[in-house]
Amino acid sequence: MVSEPAVRVVWGAALTLFPDVLLRCLLRTPSGRTGRAAVQALGVRHIVQGAVPARGILSPGWRTVLDASHAVSMAGLALGSKRWRGAALTDFCVACAFTLSSVRAARAVGAGGRTG
């Protein structure tokens, strides 16, 4: 089974390296300077957050908080912006998946399991 941090790093790399492709093809949102910068910033965040568990810097509980707050912000963006609604809903789903993964990791740590 592939670990959540590995998936997060690969997803972050794709966002960082190919923002225009993801905006146009996957999210069906027009590419532009603002969209490109937002997607790349999100990609860098995912890379960093994916690398952090290996270093033990950020607990699964805090990863859950970060992912859940990101999901909430994407729900707000989807509600408030017609232009970014599709991208925000897609990212909301991704953030929810990472939140659930973080919750699972936090429960494993709480039960004496391994992190990651």
Coordinates of all heavy atoms in Angstrom, one line a residue, residues 28-103:
R28 N -10.7 22.2 -15.4 CA -11.5 23.0 -16.4 C -11.6 24.5 -16.0 O -12.7 25.0 -16.1 CB -12.8 22.3 -16.6 CG -12.7 20.9 -17.0 CD -13.9 20.5 -17.9 NE -13.9 19.1 -18.3 CZ -13.2 18.6 -19.3 NH1 -12.4 19.4 -20.0 NH2 -13.2 17.3 -19.5
T29 N -10.6 25.0 -15.5 CA -10.5 26.4 -15.1 C -9.5 27.1 -15.9 O -8.4 26.6 -16.2 CB -10.1 26.5 -13.6 OG1 -11.1 25.8 -12.8 CG2 -10.1 27.9 -13.1
P30 N -9.8 28.3 -16.4 CA -8.8 29.1 -17.2 C -7.5 29.3 -16.5 O -7.5 29.6 -15.3 CB -9.5 30.4 -17.5 CG -10.9 30.2 -17.2 CD -11.0 29.1 -16.2
S31 N -6.4 29.0 -17.2 CA -5.1 29.2 -16.6 C -4.7 30.7 -16.6 O -5.1 31.4 -17.6 CB -4.0 28.4 -17.3 OG -2.8 28.7 -16.8
G32 N -4.1 31.2 -15.6 CA -3.7 32.6 -15.6 C -2.6 32.8 -14.5 O -2.3 31.8 -13.8
R33 N -2.1 33.9 -14.4 CA -1.1 34.2 -13.4 C -1.5 33.8 -11.9 O -0.8 33.2 -11.2 CB -0.6 35.6 -13.4 CG 0.5 36.0 -12.4 CD 1.0 37.4 -12.5 NE 1.8 37.5 -13.7 CZ 2.1 38.6 -14.3 NH1 1.6 39.7 -13.9 NH2 2.9 38.6 -15.4
T34 N -2.7 34.3 -11.6 CA -3.2 34.1 -10.2 C -3.5 32.6 -10.0 O -3.0 32.0 -9.0 CB -4.5 34.8 -10.0 OG1 -4.3 36.2 -10.2 CG2 -5.1 34.6 -8.6
G35 N -4.1 31.9 -10.9 CA -4.4 30.5 -10.8 C -3.1 29.7 -10.7 O -3.0 28.8 -9.9
R36 N -2.2 30.0 -11.6 CA -0.9 29.3 -11.6 C -0.2 29.4 -10.3 O 0.3 28.4 -9.7 CB 0.0 29.8 -12.8 CG 1.2 29.0 -13.0 CD 2.1 29.6 -14.2 NE 1.3 29.7 -15.4 CZ 0.9 30.9 -15.9 NH1 1.3 32.0 -15.4 NH2 0.2 30.9 -17.0
A37 N -0.1 30.6 -9.8 CA 0.6 30.9 -8.5 C -0.1 30.2 -7.3 O 0.6 29.6 -6.5 CB 0.6 32.4 -8.2
A38 N -1.4 30.2 -7.3 CA -2.2 29.5 -6.3 C -2.0 28.0 -6.3 O -1.7 27.3 -5.3 CB -3.7 29.8 -6.4
V39 N -2.0 27.4 -7.5 CA -1.8 26.0 -7.7 C -0.4 25.6 -7.3 O -0.1 24.6 -6.6 CB -2.1 25.5 -9.1 CG1 -1.7 24.1 -9.4 CG2 -3.6 25.6 -9.3
Q40 N 0.6 26.4 -7.7 CA 2.0 26.1 -7.3 C 2.2 26.2 -5.8 O 2.9 25.4 -5.2 CB 3.0 27.0 -8.1 CG 3.0 26.5 -9.6 CD 3.9 27.5 -10.4 OE1 3.9 28.7 -10.2 NE2 4.7 26.9 -11.3
A41 N 1.6 27.2 -5.2 CA 1.8 27.4 -3.8 C 1.2 26.2 -3.0 O 1.8 25.7 -2.1 CB 1.1 28.7 -3.3
L42 N 0.0 25.7 -3.5 CA -0.6 24.6 -2.9 C 0.3 23.3 -3.1 O 0.4 22.5 -2.2 CB -2.0 24.3 -3.5 CG -2.8 23.1 -3.0 CD1 -3.0 23.3 -1.5 CD2 -4.1 23.0 -3.8
G43 N 0.9 23.2 -4.3 CA 1.8 22.1 -4.5 C 3.0 22.1 -3.6 O 3.3 21.0 -3.0
V44 N 3.6 23.2 -3.4 CA 4.7 23.3 -2.4 C 4.3 22.9 -1.0 O 5.0 22.2 -0.3 CB 5.4 24.7 -2.5 CG1 6.4 24.9 -1.4 CG2 6.0 24.9 -3.8
R45 N 3.1 23.4 -0.6 CA 2.6 23.0 0.7 C 2.4 21.5 0.8 O 2.8 20.9 1.9 CB 1.2 23.7 0.9 CG 0.8 23.5 2.4 CD -0.7 23.6 2.5 NE -1.2 22.2 2.6 CZ -2.4 21.9 2.7 NH1 -3.4 22.8 2.7 NH2 -2.8 20.6 2.8
H46 N 1.9 20.9 -0.2 CA 1.7 19.4 -0.1 C 3.1 18.7 -0.1 O 3.2 17.7 0.6 CB 0.9 18.9 -1.4 CG -0.5 19.1 -1.2 ND1 -1.3 18.5 -0.2 CD2 -1.4 19.8 -2.0 CE1 -2.5 18.8 -0.4 NE2 -2.7 19.6 -1.4
I47 N 4.1 19.2 -0.8 CA 5.4 18.6 -0.8 C 6.0 18.7 0.6 O 6.5 17.7 1.2 CB 6.3 19.2 -1.8 CG1 5.9 18.8 -3.2 CG2 7.8 18.8 -1.6 CD1 6.5 19.6 -4.3
V48 N 5.9 19.8 1.2 CA 6.4 20.1 2.5 C 5.7 19.2 3.5 O 6.3 18.5 4.4 CB 6.4 21.5 2.9 CG1 6.7 21.7 4.4 CG2 7.4 22.3 2.1
Q49 N 4.4 19.2 3.5 CA 3.5 18.5 4.4 C 3.7 17.0 4.3 O 3.7 16.2 5.2 CB 2.1 18.9 4.3 CG 1.2 18.4 5.5 CD -0.2 19.0 5.4 OE1 -0.5 19.9 4.7 NE2 -1.0 18.4 6.2
G50 N 4.0 16.5 3.0 CA 4.3 15.1 2.8 C 5.7 14.7 3.4 O 5.8 13.6 3.8
A51 N 6.6 15.6 3.3 CA 8.0 15.3 3.8 C 8.1 15.4 5.4 O 8.9 14.7 6.0 CB 9.0 16.2 3.2
V52 N 7.2 16.1 6.0 CA 7.2 16.4 7.4 C 7.1 15.1 8.3 O 7.8 14.9 9.3 CB 6.2 17.5 7.8 CG1 5.9 17.5 9.3 CG2 6.8 18.8 7.4
P53 N 6.1 14.2 7.9 CA 6.0 13.0 8.8 C 7.3 12.2 9.0 O 7.5 11.7 10.0 CB 4.9 12.2 8.1 CG 4.1 13.2 7.4 CD 5.1 14.2 6.9
A54 N 8.1 12.1 7.9 CA 9.3 11.4 8.0 C 10.3 12.0 9.0 O 11.1 11.3 9.6 CB 10.0 11.3 6.6
R55 N 10.2 13.3 9.2 CA 11.1 14.0 10.1 C 10.5 14.1 11.5 O 11.2 14.5 12.5 CB 11.3 15.4 9.6 CG 11.9 15.5 8.2 CD 13.4 15.6 8.4 NE 14.0 15.8 7.1 CZ 15.1 15.2 6.7 NH1 15.8 14.4 7.5 NH2 15.6 15.4 5.5
G56 N 9.2 13.7 11.7 CA 8.6 13.8 13.0 C 8.3 15.2 13.5 O 8.1 15.5 14.6
I57 N 8.3 16.2 12.5 CA 8.1 17.6 12.9 C 6.7 17.9 13.2 O 6.4 18.7 14.1 CB 8.6 18.5 11.7 CG1 10.1 18.2 11.6 CG2 8.4 20.0 12.0 CD1 10.7 18.9 10.3
L58 N 5.7 17.3 12.5 CA 4.3 17.7 12.6 C 3.5 16.4 12.9 O 3.6 15.5 12.2 CB 3.8 18.3 11.3 CG 2.5 19.0 11.2 CD1 2.5 20.2 12.1 CD2 2.2 19.4 9.8
S59 N 2.8 16.5 14.0 CA 2.1 15.3 14.5 C 0.9 15.1 13.5 O 0.4 16.0 12.9 CB 1.6 15.5 15.9 OG 0.5 16.5 15.9
P60 N 0.4 13.9 13.5 CA -0.8 13.6 12.7 C -2.0 14.5 13.1 O -2.8 14.8 12.3 CB -1.1 12.1 13.0 CG 0.2 11.5 13.3 CD 0.9 12.6 14.1
G61 N -2.1 14.8 14.4 CA -3.2 15.7 14.8 C -3.1 17.0 14.2 O -4.1 17.6 13.7
W62 N -1.9 17.6 14.1 CA -1.8 18.9 13.5 C -1.9 18.8 12.0 O -2.4 19.7 11.3 CB -0.4 19.5 13.8 CG -0.4 20.2 15.2 CD1 0.2 19.8 16.3 CD2 -1.2 21.4 15.5 NE1 -0.1 20.6 17.3 CE2 -1.0 21.6 16.9 CE3 -2.0 22.2 14.8 CZ2 -1.5 22.7 17.5 CZ3 -2.6 23.3 15.4 CH2 -2.3 23.5 16.8
R63 N -1.5 17.7 11.4 CA -1.8 17.5 9.9 C -3.3 17.5 9.7 O -3.8 18.0 8.7 CB -1.1 16.2 9.4 CG 0.4 16.3 9.4 CD 1.1 15.2 8.7 NE 0.4 13.9 8.5 CZ 0.8 12.7 9.0 NH1 1.9 12.7 9.9 NH2 0.2 11.6 8.7
T64 N -4.0 16.9 10.6 CA -5.5 16.8 10.5 C -6.1 18.3 10.5 O -6.9 18.6 9.7 CB -6.1 16.0 11.6 OG1 -5.6 14.7 11.5 CG2 -7.6 15.9 11.5
V65 N -5.6 19.1 11.4 CA -6.0 20.4 11.5 C -5.7 21.2 10.2 O -6.6 21.9 9.7 CB -5.4 21.1 12.7 CG1 -5.6 22.6 12.7 CG2 -5.9 20.5 14.0
L66 N -4.5 21.1 9.7 CA -4.2 21.8 8.5 C -5.1 21.3 7.3 O -5.6 22.2 6.5 CB -2.7 21.5 8.1 CG -1.7 22.2 9.0 CD1 -0.3 21.7 8.6 CD2 -1.8 23.7 8.9
D67 N -5.2 20.0 7.2 CA -6.1 19.5 6.0 C -7.5 19.9 6.2 O -8.2 20.3 5.2 CB -5.9 18.0 5.9 CG -4.5 17.6 5.5 OD1 -3.9 18.3 4.7 OD2 -4.1 16.5 5.9
A68 N -8.1 19.8 7.4 CA -9.5 20.2 7.6 C -9.7 21.7 7.4 O -10.7 22.1 6.7 CB -9.9 19.8 9.0
S69 N -8.8 22.5 7.8 CA -8.9 24.0 7.6 C -8.8 24.3 6.1 O -9.5 25.2 5.6 CB -7.9 24.8 8.4 OG -6.6 24.5 8.0
H70 N -8.0 23.5 5.4 CA -7.9 23.8 4.0 C -9.2 23.3 3.3 O -9.7 24.0 2.4 CB -6.7 23.0 3.4 CG -6.5 23.2 1.9 ND1 -6.1 24.4 1.4 CD2 -6.8 22.4 0.9 CE1 -6.1 24.3 0.1 NE2 -6.5 23.1 -0.3
A71 N -9.8 22.2 3.7 CA -11.1 21.8 3.1 C -12.1 22.9 3.4 O -12.9 23.2 2.5 CB -11.5 20.4 3.7
V72 N -12.2 23.4 4.6 CA -13.2 24.4 4.9 C -13.0 25.7 4.0 O -13.9 26.2 3.5 CB -13.1 24.8 6.4 CG1 -13.9 26.0 6.7 CG2 -13.6 23.6 7.2
S73 N -11.7 26.1 3.8 CA -11.4 27.2 3.0 C -11.8 27.0 1.6 O -12.3 27.9 0.9 CB -10.0 27.7 3.1 OG -9.1 26.8 2.4
M74 N -11.7 25.8 1.1 CA -12.1 25.5 -0.3 C -13.6 25.5 -0.4 O -14.1 25.9 -1.5 CB -11.5 24.2 -0.8 CG -10.0 24.2 -1.0 SD -9.5 25.4 -2.3 CE -9.0 26.8 -1.3
A75 N -14.3 25.0 0.6 CA -15.8 25.0 0.6 C -16.2 26.5 0.5 O -17.1 26.8 -0.3 CB -16.3 24.4 1.8
G76 N -15.6 27.4 1.3 CA -15.9 28.8 1.2 C -15.6 29.4 -0.1 O -16.4 30.2 -0.6
L77 N -14.5 29.1 -0.7 CA -14.2 29.6 -2.1 C -15.2 29.1 -3.1 O -15.6 29.8 -3.9 CB -12.8 29.2 -2.5 CG -12.3 29.7 -3.8 CD1 -12.3 31.2 -3.9 CD2 -10.9 29.1 -4.1
A78 N -15.6 27.8 -3.0 CA -16.6 27.3 -3.9 C -17.9 28.0 -3.8 O -18.6 28.3 -4.8 CB -16.8 25.8 -3.7
L79 N -18.3 28.3 -2.6 CA -19.5 29.0 -2.4 C -19.5 30.5 -2.8 O -20.5 31.1 -3.3 CB -19.9 29.0 -0.9 CG -20.4 27.6 -0.4 CD1 -20.6 27.7 1.1 CD2 -21.7 27.2 -1.1
G80 N -18.3 31.1 -2.7 CA -18.2 32.5 -3.0 C -17.7 32.9 -4.4 O -17.7 34.1 -4.7
S81 N -17.2 32.0 -5.2 CA -16.6 32.4 -6.5 C -17.1 31.4 -7.6 O -16.7 30.3 -7.6 CB -15.1 32.4 -6.3 OG -14.5 32.6 -7.6
K82 N -17.8 32.0 -8.5 CA -18.2 31.2 -9.6 C -17.0 30.7 -10.5 O -17.0 29.6 -10.9 CB -19.2 32.0 -10.5 CG -20.6 31.9 -10.1 CD -21.5 32.5 -11.2 CE -22.9 32.3 -10.9 NZ -23.8 32.8 -11.9
R83 N -16.1 31.7 -10.7 CA -14.9 31.4 -11.5 C -14.1 30.2 -11.0 O -13.6 29.4 -11.7 CB -14.0 32.6 -11.6 CG -12.8 32.4 -12.4 CD -11.9 33.6 -12.6 NE -10.8 33.2 -13.5 CZ -9.6 33.7 -13.4 NH1 -9.4 34.7 -12.5 NH2 -8.7 33.4 -14.2
W84 N -13.9 30.2 -9.7 CA -13.0 29.2 -9.1 C -13.8 28.0 -8.5 O -13.2 27.1 -7.8 CB -12.2 29.8 -8.0 CG -11.2 30.8 -8.6 CD1 -11.3 32.1 -8.6 CD2 -10.0 30.4 -9.4 NE1 -10.2 32.7 -9.3 CE2 -9.4 31.6 -9.8 CE3 -9.5 29.2 -9.8 CZ2 -8.3 31.7 -10.6 CZ3 -8.3 29.3 -10.6 CH2 -7.8 30.5 -10.9
R85 N -15.1 27.9 -8.7 CA -15.9 26.9 -8.0 C -15.5 25.5 -8.4 O -15.3 24.6 -7.5 CB -17.4 27.1 -8.4 CG -18.3 26.1 -7.7 CD -19.8 26.5 -7.8 NE -19.9 27.8 -7.0 CZ -20.7 28.8 -7.4 NH1 -21.4 28.7 -8.5 NH2 -20.8 29.9 -6.7
G86 N -15.3 25.2 -9.6 CA -14.8 23.8 -10.0 C -13.5 23.4 -9.4 O -13.4 22.3 -8.9
A87 N -12.6 24.3 -9.5 CA -11.2 24.0 -8.9 C -11.3 23.9 -7.4 O -10.7 23.0 -6.8 CB -10.3 25.2 -9.2
A88 N -12.1 24.8 -6.8 CA -12.3 24.7 -5.3 C -13.0 23.4 -4.9 O -12.6 22.8 -3.9 CB -13.1 25.9 -4.8
L89 N -14.0 23.0 -5.6 CA -14.7 21.7 -5.2 C -13.8 20.5 -5.4 O -13.8 19.6 -4.6 CB -16.0 21.6 -6.1 CG -17.1 22.5 -5.7 CD1 -18.3 22.4 -6.7 CD2 -17.6 22.2 -4.3
T90 N -13.0 20.5 -6.5 CA -12.0 19.4 -6.7 C -11.0 19.4 -5.5 O -10.7 18.4 -4.9 CB -11.3 19.6 -8.0 OG1 -12.3 19.6 -9.1 CG2 -10.3 18.5 -8.2
D91 N -10.5 20.6 -5.2 CA -9.5 20.7 -4.1 C -10.1 20.3 -2.8 O -9.5 19.8 -1.9 CB -8.8 22.0 -4.1 CG -7.5 22.0 -3.4 OD1 -6.8 20.9 -3.5 OD2 -7.1 23.0 -2.7
F92 N -11.4 20.7 -2.6 CA -12.1 20.3 -1.4 C -12.2 18.8 -1.2 O -11.9 18.3 -0.1 CB -13.6 20.9 -1.5 CG -14.5 20.4 -0.4 CD1 -14.4 20.9 0.9 CD2 -15.4 19.4 -0.7 CE1 -15.2 20.4 1.9 CE2 -16.2 18.9 0.3 CZ -16.2 19.4 1.6
C93 N -12.4 18.1 -2.3 CA -12.5 16.6 -2.2 C -11.1 16.1 -1.9 O -11.0 15.1 -1.1 CB -13.0 16.1 -3.6 SG -14.7 16.4 -3.8
V94 N -10.1 16.6 -2.5 CA -8.7 16.2 -2.2 C -8.4 16.4 -0.8 O -7.8 15.6 -0.1 CB -7.7 16.8 -3.2 CG1 -6.2 16.5 -2.7 CG2 -7.9 16.4 -4.6
A95 N -8.7 17.6 -0.3 CA -8.4 18.0 1.1 C -9.2 17.1 2.1 O -8.6 16.7 3.1 CB -8.8 19.5 1.3
C96 N -10.4 16.8 1.7 CA -11.2 15.8 2.6 C -10.5 14.5 2.7 O -10.4 13.8 3.7 CB -12.6 15.7 2.1 SG -13.6 17.2 2.5
A97 N -10.0 14.0 1.5 CA -9.3 12.7 1.5 C -8.1 12.7 2.4 O -7.8 11.8 3.2 CB -9.0 12.3 0.1
F98 N -7.3 13.8 2.3 CA -6.1 13.9 3.1 C -6.5 14.1 4.6 O -5.8 13.6 5.5 CB -5.2 15.1 2.6 CG -4.4 14.8 1.4 CD1 -4.4 15.6 0.3 CD2 -3.6 13.6 1.4 CE1 -3.6 15.4 -0.8 CE2 -2.8 13.4 0.3 CZ -2.8 14.2 -0.8
T99 N -7.6 14.8 4.9 CA -8.1 14.9 6.2 C -8.4 13.6 6.8 O -8.0 13.2 8.0 CB -9.3 15.8 6.3 OG1 -8.9 17.1 5.8 CG2 -9.8 16.0 7.7
L100 N -9.1 12.8 6.1 CA -9.5 11.4 6.6 C -8.2 10.6 6.8 O -8.1 9.8 7.8 CB -10.4 10.7 5.6 CG -11.8 11.3 5.5 CD1 -12.6 10.7 4.4 CD2 -12.5 11.3 6.8
S101 N -7.3 10.7 5.9 CA -6.0 10.0 6.1 C -5.3 10.4 7.3 O -4.7 9.6 8.0 CB -5.1 10.2 4.8 OG -3.9 9.5 5.0
S102 N -5.3 11.7 7.6 CA -4.6 12.3 8.7 C -5.3 11.8 10.0 O -4.7 11.5 11.0 CB -4.6 13.8 8.7 OG -3.8 14.3 7.6
V103 N -6.6 11.8 10.0 CA -7.4 11.3 11.1 C -7.0 9.8 11.4 O -6.8 9.4 12.6 CB -8.9 11.4 10.9 CG1 -9.7 10.6 11.9 CG2 -9.3 12.9 10.9

